[in-house]
Amino acid sequence: MIFWFIAIAVTAIACAALFYAAGSRRVNAPLSELGNADSHFGLVLAGIDADLAAGKLDEADALAAKGELAREVMRLKAEAPLVAPVRKELGRTPLLAGLAGIAVLALAVYAGLGSPDLPAQPLDSRPQAAADTLDVGAAIARIETALAANPDDLRGWTVIAPAYMQMGRYADAAKAYARVIDLSGATPDLQTKQAEALLFDAQESGSPEAMALLRAAAASDPKHVLSRLYIAAELTRQGDYPAAIAAWNDALALATGDEPWLAAARQGLAVAQNDGIAPAGAAAPQFSSQESEMIGNMVSGLQARLSDQGGSIEEWTQLLRAYLVLGDTDKAQAAFDSAVTAYPQAFDRGDLDTLALGAGLTIKGATQ
């Protein structure tokens, strides 16, 4: 209600200012120069006649003086500006009615379209609110339609590829990045992004195509770190620990000491050196937000698939090893319990029990 009081007051003040400014009145209006001149010339003419009657001027001088005065009057009239026609004033009543109508219309429109009852909202949260109302699916569909009509639109593929990644459409993201590479040429960053999409799509089964892309990216740029980190992580996952150790060392050699991925790389090297088992007492690696999201997507995807569809003992071992590398003991124990439930016979589990017990986990409900 306070808002409406303020709005009405401000509107009234604005209308009053307009009413005052538009009202009819004279501002700095000068006196008529021509009227003053006529009065002056009349006095001069009377003075000439008085001088003639008093004998101060003879007939010839008086006639000459009147002729000079007549020429001066004619000159002044010729130089005087044309008088503008008087404009008929509209009047204050129609002006007041018009201003009142505009004020009522403005308040009525805002009452219908505005939201005066909404609380104040900080500016920094408004872009996020706008993003929350955005229909991402519809936007992606429009871009896909445009790309179907113009498959050589580099900008469209560049925009839609990371959007596919965020939506979890990893196969489509890999194809989109491949199209970007076809149109703009291969770069280490693009090759690594396509490999990332392929790895996410393959989950824990691996992707030879992704490894080929990562090796090509690393070969084309001796200082490209991300491709080397992916190579080292994949080699560790595959159990090729000697090659993984070399790959981790190659990535660590590029570090300057303050990189956010440094702790994770050192932990990965320690796991590879320990044949896939995290060393006892090793600190959990610290990941950047981007790395945490990337690794979390990969691990959660494998966990969801194993929970819904089941999997081999090797896949359960990979999931357990991933949680141990991340330092998440609770999820590692939960994954181990699920694996024991799926494979209750101890002789079926083999390396899984060795990995779990070496990390300090406990076996619950296992059949010996």
Side-chain angles (χ1 to χ4, degrees):
M1 194 63 183
I2 295 177
F3 169 82
W4 286 111
F5 284 132
I6 296 174
I8 292 172
V10 171
T11 304
I13 293 172
C15 289
L18 291 173
F19 182 73
Y20 176 77
S24 59
R25 63 188 185 280
R26 297 178 66 86
V27 179
N28 297 329
L31 296 175
S32 172
E33 294 183 0
L34 187 58
N36 291 339
D38 290 342
S39 176
H40 170 71
F41 291 140
L43 292 175
V44 173
L45 181 60
I48 294 173
D49 289 338
D51 289 343
L52 177 63
K56 295 180 181 180
L57 294 175
D58 57 19
E59 289 290 339
D61 291 337
L63 184 60
K66 290 180 179 180
E68 184 64 27
L69 183 60
R71 285 193 295 271
E72 185 65 19
V73 171
M74 294 176 62
R75 182 189 65 80
L76 183 60
K77 288 185 177 181
E79 293 179 355
L82 295 177
V83 179
V86 178
R87 179 176 58 88
K88 183 179 180 180
E89 296 292 342
L90 181 63
R92 289 183 175 269
T93 300
L95 177 62
L96 184 60
L99 290 175
I102 293 173
V104 171
L105 179 62
L107 293 174
V109 170
Y110 182 77
L113 301 179
S115 301
D117 297 330
L118 289 179
Q121 188 177 20
L123 289 175
D124 58 355
S125 64
R126 295 182 186 182
Q128 182 60 40
D132 293 341
T133 61
L134 177 65
D135 188 347
V136 178
I140 293 298
R142 288 195 296 270
I143 297 175
E144 289 174 336
T145 301
L147 289 174
N150 182 17
D152 293 334
D153 182 6
L154 175 60
R155 184 174 179 274
W157 291 112
T158 303
V159 170
I160 205 170
Y164 280 148
M165 289 293 293
Q166 294 180 0
M167 297 172 66
R169 296 171 58 177
Y170 303 127
D172 291 332
K175 295 176 182 177
Y177 279 120
R179 189 62 183 148
V180 173
I181 292 174
D182 291 340
L183 294 173
S184 64
T187 66
D189 286 341
L190 288 175
Q191 289 172 321
T192 302
K193 289 178 181 179
Q194 184 185 0
E196 179 184 31
L198 290 169
L199 289 174
F200 279 22
D201 184 55
Q203 298 295 336
E204 291 297 314
S205 60
S207 170
E209 182 182 359
M211 285 297 289
L213 287 166
L214 292 170
R215 294 187 186 281
S220 63
D221 185 355
K223 295 184 179 181
H224 197 260
V225 176
L226 188 57
S227 59
R228 287 170 169 77
L229 290 175
Y230 268 118
I231 291 172
E234 267 299 286
L235 291 173
T236 303
R237 185 197 63 79
Q238 294 172 7
D240 190 353
Y241 300 123
I245 292 172
W248 285 120
N249 284 327
D250 287 344
L252 288 169
L254 299 176
T256 60
D258 57 352
E259 290 81 1
W261 51 264
L262 189 56
R266 288 171 176 167
Q267 181 69 12
L269 175 61
V271 170
Q273 290 173 335
N274 204 34
D275 292 340
I277 301 176
Q286 301 296 319
F287 299 99
S288 66
S289 58
Q290 182 180 4
E291 291 170 336
S292 297
E293 182 180 0
M294 175 188 69
I295 296 173
N297 287 335
M298 296 179 68
V299 175
S300 61
L302 176 61
Q303 189 274 334
R305 182 166 60 84
L306 292 178
S307 297
D308 295 339
Q309 305 174 9
S312 65
I313 193 63
E314 290 79 11
E315 290 175 318
W316 283 108
T317 303
Q318 292 167 1
L319 179 62
L320 178 60
R321 181 178 291 114
Y323 282 135
L324 292 175
V325 170
L326 291 173
D328 195 337
T329 306
D330 293 338
K331 289 186 178 180
Q333 181 67 63
F336 183 45
D337 293 342
S338 298
V340 169
T341 301
Y343 294 90
Q345 299 295 331
F347 63 85
D348 290 333
R349 295 191 302 270
D351 292 339
L352 178 65
D353 284 359
T354 303
L355 177 61
L357 296 175
L361 304 181
T362 59
I363 299 177
K364 300 178 182 180
T367 302
Q368 303 295 333

